[in-house]
Amino acid sequence: SAVIGVATIMLRYPMVFSAFKLAGGAYLAWLGIQMWRSRGRLALGVAGEGAEAPRASRRALAAQGFVTAIANPKGWAFFIALLPPFLDASLPLAPQLIALVGIILTLEFTCLLLYAGGGSSLARWLG
């Protein structure tokens, strides 16, 4: 029901949706500036100046990827706007939402695997 409520607010009050878009863009710009100014200190396993950085474990890298994906406001806004047309009000809502969220999580996981595999291949190729 939360998905439908948020989608309804976005459709009935486009100014609120625009405000969310602007706030999300400002947040992403702020994150980008913080990452740029940090010179890599926010990344996992990065040591100080001149020191050798320890290798992060696979679990730590997976956790960082998961947190990054979940914290991305663009993805949530996209899927909240995408879901309502696929819901049928005459059928029970819970099974529909479970199926749709399962599809979304599968797609997100697949994309992250493609990014990771592509990055790994690119690192080997550039090395």
Side-chain angles (χ1 to χ4, degrees):
S1 65
V3 172
I4 294 172
V6 172
T8 301
I9 289 172
M10 291 169 65
L11 291 173
R12 288 192 181 170
Y13 305 104
M15 293 302 292
V16 173
F17 181 65
S18 295
F20 277 125
K21 285 194 311 187
L22 291 174
Y27 171 70
L28 291 175
W30 178 81
L31 281 178
I33 291 168
Q34 294 300 317
M35 291 291 288
W36 180 43
R37 293 178 65 208
S38 73
R39 298 181 188 204
R41 287 188 302 268
L42 296 177
L44 285 175
V46 176
E49 288 284 326
E52 183 66 29
R55 290 188 56 87
S57 69
R58 289 179 185 255
R59 179 172 282 192
L61 291 173
Q64 184 182 28
F66 177 77
V67 169
T68 301
I70 293 299
N72 182 357
K74 294 182 302 180
W76 287 105
F78 172 75
F79 285 122
I80 287 172
L82 177 73
L83 286 179
F86 295 101
L87 298 175
D88 186 353
S90 66
L91 298 173
L93 190 59
Q96 293 180 76
L97 288 177
I98 290 169
L100 289 172
V101 168
I103 291 168
I104 290 168
L105 291 176
T106 302
L107 288 171
E108 180 75 21
F109 183 71
T110 302
C111 289
L112 290 176
L113 284 177
L114 289 171
Y115 293 152
S120 176
S121 299
L122 186 61
R124 279 195 301 271
W125 183 71
L126 291 173

